Amino acid sequence: GLIFTINAALFALLLTRESWATLAAVLMLSLWLPMLVAQLVLAAKRCHDLGISGAFCLILVVPFFGIFWLIALAFAAGTDGPNAYGLPPAFRAD
């Protein structure tokens, strides 16, 4: 969320300068695509932690409903022990 906010603020700043509109569009696209991929990968891993298919991460791209799914992923408790997707991530307090 923080990276998205910084990206949006940078984009808004660049759009205020008309001569930089093309640069802003290229910069936004070059930052947005890798962030989208990273967010979908993390959401898929979280879905696996809940014991459901990673394809459910695609719900995040559905307008309006995606934000509720993101909140649900954030607060849902993961499965105890191993599931069909493997062992839960190990917590190491090093």
Side-chain angles (χ1 to χ4, degrees):
L2 179 63
I3 293 172
F4 179 77
T5 304
I6 292 170
N7 191 12
L10 179 63
F11 185 64
L13 176 69
L14 290 175
L15 281 181
T16 60
R17 297 179 173 36
E18 291 181 23
S19 61
W20 293 7
T22 304
L23 174 66
V26 170
L27 182 63
M28 182 69 171
L29 186 61
S30 67
L31 293 174
W32 182 77
L33 286 175
M35 284 181 21
L36 176 66
V37 170
Q39 289 174 351
L40 289 176
V41 167
L42 289 173
K45 288 182 179 215
R46 180 66 179 131
C47 288
H48 288 169
D49 184 42
L50 297 172
I52 59 177
S53 171
F56 281 94
C57 74
L58 295 176
I59 295 174
L60 294 174
V61 298
V62 177
F64 187 70
F65 187 69
I67 191 70
F68 294 112
W69 182 240
L70 183 64
I71 292 169
L73 286 176
F75 291 105
T79 57
D80 290 332
N83 60 22
Y85 300 99
L87 296 171
F91 176 74
R92 293 176 31 177
D94 290 343

